[in-house]
Amino acid sequence: QVQLVESGGGLVQPGGTLRLSCAASGFTFSLRAMMWYRQAPGKERELVASITSSGGVTNYAGSVKGRFTISRDNTKNTVYLQMNSLKPEDTAVYYCTDPFGNWGRGTQVTVSS
């Protein structure tokens, strides 16, 4: 059974940093690309970042490029999202997902002073 469990969200001031983690189980993690999505209140879910199975190629939404970094540790079956220079518009529930439609329950990120 595939499980994706996000953690690391919270309340942070504008300009602050957070690191999200997504622990995966139930499949061969090192063979699967992974993605982070987010959904803000009243908005559609949007792709934030993706990473290939080896971690060699990453892609980002334009709104987060240069501020967020996706990475993975295949020895720990975990994918990360380092978020720097956070803005209020980054406030959302952040989800980890794979290309087969498996989703975590999400972790809330709130950027506010």
Side-chain angles (χ1 to χ4, degrees):
Q1 181 181 357
V2 173
Q3 282 197 321
L4 300 171
V5 181
E6 302 94 339
S7 62
L11 172 64
V12 63
Q13 292 187 343
T17 65
L18 281 175
R19 189 174 84 151
L20 307 184
S21 299
C22 172
S25 61
F27 62 99
T28 306
F29 180 77
S30 62
L31 298 182
R32 200 169 288 191
M34 298 296 296
M35 294 85 75
W36 284 98
Y37 275 75
R38 68 184 180 186
Q39 187 166 22
K43 295 189 177 181
E44 291 187 358
R45 198 169 288 190
E46 64 169 340
L47 177 63
V48 175
S50 64
I51 188 167
T52 54
S53 57
S54 67
V57 179
T58 57
N59 285 287
Y60 299 91
S63 57
V64 307
K65 194 172 291 185
R67 300 188 296 121
F68 290 11
T69 303
I70 188 171
S71 62
R72 65 191 296 157
D73 185 338
N74 286 346
T75 67
K76 296 181 178 180
N77 288 0
T78 301
V79 59
Y80 304 98
L81 187 68
Q82 177 69 42
M83 305 187 296
N84 299 331
S85 302
L86 282 161
K87 304 176 181 180
E89 51 263 44
D90 295 318
T91 295
V93 178
Y94 284 71
Y95 299 91
C96 155
T97 184
D98 69 11
F100 297 93
N102 298 296
W103 292 81
R105 292 190 173 186
T107 186
Q108 175 71 47
V109 171
T110 303
V111 185
S112 175
S113 54

